[in-house]
Amino acid sequence: MSVTSPSVAGTPVVAASGAGTAVRARRRSARRTSARAAINLAALVVFVVSVFPVYWMVSTSLLPNNKIRSVTPTFAPTSPTLRNFRHVLDPSTDFVPALRTSLLVTVLTVVVALFLALLAAVALTRFRFRSRRLMVLGVLVIQMLPAEAMIITIYRLLNGWQLTNTVIGLGMVYVATVLPFTIWTLRGFVAGVPVELEEAARIDGCSRVRAFFSVTFPLMAPGLIATGVFAFIQAWNEFLTALVLMNRPEHRTLPVWLRTFKQVHSSTDWGAIMAGSTLMTIPVIVFFLFVQGRMTTGLVSGAVKG
């Protein structure tokens, strides 16, 4: 173009314009690099702030008491000890019964909630009936109600049925708590599977039930896992309802056990408390590592299906 011809009138102006364009391009590139560096720095700060409490919990659980109570903080256990874990796992602390109760309640909650939510999601998505939209709205409204506002009513109701201090009673409350969210989430995954696939299977001779479990159900696996993780975390970490409904020592869940374990001693044994907290997180981490691949797929799919 005219930039390559020095004999053309006005060449110095064109050359200056080209140089200005190059300068602006370098400035834009520098701004993009600076913005990318700022974003990376912010991500690093968020990562450190999120991970440091977990690291501090695990690190403290491996320290002897004299290091924990020292004025100078110890950020890395140079001479780790398992004394705190042995103390927590001692039969006198009732950690194992609490772990068993938490596992039973959590597994019961996840299985029953997913089963009921799947039936409700299929009914709300695949069938047309009166008040269907009203039911969907009701699910959302129920999800917004705070559980603390109904704790007295729930206690009196379960106490009348003689279901307090039982895994079934606490599991019923947890299922009712997580069910609205699981229904709402699974409804999106069921709607994301084209109904034409089931109709094609029925043309090939499948019944409605067999067509659903042969075609739609396998495609919903990521959604079921993502929803199951939510129900698992809700049931595993819940404290207030378990504190009210499971008031006998032999029926405590792990969050309630951790609170009472802190109050047993006149002086707080931070090493043992951190060891108990670390042991509480292991089942959640194991479960997450087991399902994390499909959970990521499920969360992404749920974000784009209505």
Side-chain angles (χ1 to χ4, degrees), residues 116-260:
L116 296 178
L118 178 62
L119 296 180
V122 172
L124 291 173
T125 307
R126 291 289 191 255
F127 299 96
R128 298 289 181 269
F129 53 89
R130 185 177 296 178
S131 304
R132 187 172 64 93
R133 291 183 177 274
L134 185 61
M135 289 185 63
V136 175
L137 181 62
V139 168
L140 282 178
V141 172
I142 292 173
Q143 179 67 39
M144 297 176 186
L145 296 178
E148 291 77 7
M150 299 180 290
I151 192 67
I152 301 301
T153 304
I154 292 172
Y155 177 80
R156 291 176 62 88
L157 186 65
L158 291 184
N159 194 42
W161 293 344
Q162 297 183 349
L163 288 177
T164 54
N165 292 300
T166 63
V167 171
I168 295 177
L170 186 60
M172 288 171 57
V173 177
Y174 284 175
V175 169
T177 302
V178 303
L179 198 56
F181 179 83
T182 51
I183 291 175
W184 185 258
T185 305
L186 286 180
R187 176 176 170 270
F189 286 102
V190 176
V193 180
V195 69
E196 289 79 9
L197 296 177
E198 292 184 33
E199 293 174 352
R202 295 183 66 184
I203 292 175
D204 292 337
C206 292
S207 63
R208 178 187 288 272
V209 176
R210 185 179 176 186
F212 174 79
F213 282 100
S214 299
V215 177
T216 304
F217 188 77
L219 297 175
M220 291 179 54
L224 287 169
I225 291 175
T227 310
V229 169
F230 167 79
F232 184 94
I233 294 175
Q234 284 284 102
W236 187 261
N237 294 331
E238 204 283 331
F239 171 75
L240 180 60
T241 305
L243 177 66
V244 174
L245 298 181
M246 309 289 272
N247 47 33
R248 291 181 184 172
E250 65 272 20
H251 295 133
R252 292 170 181 152
T253 59
L254 278 179
V256 180
W257 169 85
L258 188 62
R259 172 180 173 273
T260 57

Side-chain angles (χ1 to χ4, degrees), residues 80-92:
T81 176
L82 297 178
R83 187 199 69 85
N84 297 319
F85 290 94
R86 286 196 294 269
H87 182 199
V88 171
L89 295 175
D90 189 90
S92 63

